[in-house]
Amino acid sequence: MTAPKAMKGPAIFLAQFGGDTAPFDALAPIAKWAADLGYKGIQVPCDPRFIDLDRAATSQTYCDEINGVCADAGVAITELSTHIQGQLVAVHPAFAPQFDAFAPSHLRGKAQAEWAAGECIKAAKASRNLGLSVQVGFSGALAWPYLYPWPQRPAGLVEEAFDELARRWTPVLNACDENGVDYAYELHPGEDLMDGASFERFLEATDHHPRVGIAYDPSHFVLQQLDYLAFIDLYHDRIKAFHVKDAEFNPTGRQGVYSGFSPWAERAGRFRSLGDGQVNFAAIFSKLAQYGYESWAVLEWECAIKSPAQGAAEGAPFIRRHIIEPTPRAFDDFASADTSRDELRRMLGLQEEPAE
């Protein structure tokens, strides 16, 4: 029997750290920055500061060069992120002005879904060229404004929204399949895919497409008061990526899950740096190891209180401490012994009566 492999890590998602000044403005220096903090992997957003997606989708040589840049720095690419592009695959008009800046300047104020889906398809091709098997991102949202059923939702509204979402994503998922890449959706409030129930709706609408996966992030489940450990039991076969992100939920007499429009630092539910929140990471890493998760553990840093520099510095050792090396044998193997079938039957009181 093949011995189980340990989860890979620690890794860090670069989206929250990208900037216009060194070392955060280009791939080589930010990769070295991550390596110097103790990270072994980087999750790379499809941002032109870090990757030319058009070239990566069409040039193996360019992708080999990117992998070489990362290897020289001491890290590997874990996944490409199309969170921004995936968001634009489906945007309700009420939110279009807020998301307009996510698109290239020549597309602002115009229809962006077709462009966004095309970018996700390019990322699937780029992932193949980079030797990756998973892409991560958001689903976008059409039904989100109707989350709370007041006034009562008209019959068929949610079903129509998910049918349309599946229609828009199916070409992307098919392209992922052609390139041997899973699309791991980060289940996130604000997206139509926010929890297990909505994920199942989408899975059904896509006819259980084999490339539909989950980027597991317990912080979003804490804020929704969802059982994030039971979630792993239910959906472990679809979990293809893992964001290690902390959160806390402290309801008061003034606010609960919705937090009354309060700013992040004052919300009952808020994201925290690793170890500062309420997520039981020991249990999460144990469950993922139990189910044989072998991909990356990636820090996604978001915190309303602690600085990104401190959060990034603390993240690598935190993840490293939690990664479990799976045992190659049962702990009580020392007490095992070969037992024949006759002996087994005698132990069960099933001995045959002696012949007279």
Side-chain angles (χ1 to χ4, degrees):
M1 184 178 71
T2 303
K5 297 179 182 178
M7 188 184 305
K8 292 181 285 189
I12 187 169
F13 186 24
L14 299 183
Q16 285 80 12
F17 299 95
D20 297 325
T21 59
F24 306 111
D25 58 346
L27 182 63
I30 201 171
K32 184 178 185 304
W33 166 82
D36 288 346
L37 289 175
Y39 292 100
K40 297 180 179 179
I42 52 174
Q43 190 176 88
V44 178
C46 290
D47 179 316
R49 288 173 294 193
F50 304 134
I51 186 170
D52 182 328
L53 197 53
D54 288 322
R55 288 183 67 192
T58 56
S59 171
Q60 185 64 57
T61 299
Y62 174 68
C63 287
D64 291 344
E65 291 171 355
I66 287 178
N67 278 332
V69 166
C70 293
D72 288 345
V75 296
I77 297 175
T78 65
E79 299 95 7
L80 294 182
S81 154
T82 48
H83 284 79
I84 297 299
Q85 296 84 352
Q87 180 72 66
L88 294 181
V89 169
V91 176
H92 189 280
F95 295 99
Q98 291 175 269
F99 290 130
D100 207 31
F102 285 12
S105 56
H106 70 279
L107 288 176
R108 291 177 187 173
K110 301 178 182 178
Q112 299 158 357
E114 185 175 352
W115 170 84
E119 294 297 289
C120 293
I121 290 172
K122 290 178 189 176
K125 296 176 181 179
S127 294
R128 178 200 61 204
N129 290 339
L130 289 164
L132 307 175
S133 60
V134 180
Q135 178 185 169
V136 296
F138 285 147
S139 67
L142 299 172
W144 179 256
Y146 306 102
L147 176 66
Y148 197 84
W150 176 255
Q152 185 183 57
R153 289 188 293 258
L157 177 71
V158 172
E159 290 76 8
E160 186 66 30
F162 275 83
D163 285 346
E164 176 64 17
L165 198 67
R167 186 190 69 77
R168 296 187 186 192
W169 274 104
T170 294
V172 177
L173 294 168
N174 288 343
C176 285
D177 197 33
E178 291 167 6
N179 288 280
V181 176
D182 294 319
Y183 198 100
Y185 293 93
E186 182 174 351
L187 308 185
H188 187 295
E191 311 300 319
D192 281 349
L193 273 62
M194 75 192 87
D195 57 11
S198 55
F199 177 77
E200 288 179 17
R201 280 185 180 274
F202 182 70
L203 197 57
E204 183 175 354
T206 60
D207 196 24
H208 294 261
H209 199 290
R211 293 300 177 176
V212 174
I214 295 170
Y216 176 75
D217 184 334
S219 70
H220 302 304
F221 298 155
V222 170
L223 269 56
Q224 296 180 71
Q225 291 295 278
L226 183 152
D227 187 334
Y228 53 81
L229 295 176
F231 182 95
I232 298 174
D233 291 326
L234 291 169
Y235 304 108
H236 57 87
D237 59 329
R238 291 278 178 172
I239 294 176
K240 306 299 181 180
F242 175 25
H243 271 175
V244 189
K245 193 169 90 178
D246 212 341
E248 62 185 356
F249 183 69
N250 299 305
T252 70
R254 298 180 64 243
Q255 58 166 280
V257 170
Y258 300 111
S259 291
F261 301 103
S262 299
W264 274 112
E266 300 171 14
R267 293 177 71 86
R270 58 189 185 179
F271 301 127
R272 299 299 309 276
S273 285
L274 290 185
D276 295 343
Q278 298 168 347
V279 174
N280 185 347
F281 284 107
I284 288 173
F285 277 80
S286 293
K287 272 200 179 290
L288 289 175
Q290 172 189 339
Y291 287 116
Y293 178 81
E294 297 178 353
S295 195
W296 288 90
V298 181
L299 167 68
E300 183 182 20
W301 175 86
E302 289 181 347
C303 186
I305 299 173
K306 184 174 286 184
S307 75
Q310 185 179 2
E314 294 174 347
F318 183 95
I319 293 173
R320 191 179 302 110
R321 288 196 307 272
H322 282 81
I323 289 178
I324 293 171
E325 181 180 342
T327 178
R329 58 184 178 82
F331 65 88
D332 55 357
D333 275 356
F334 72 93
S336 66
D338 291 334
T339 308
S340 69
R341 182 170 181 270
D342 288 343
E343 290 171 319
L344 294 176
R345 291 183 63 80
R346 280 197 296 273
M347 290 174 66
L348 294 170
L350 301 175
Q351 306 97 313
E352 294 184 8
E353 293 293 331
E356 293 184 0

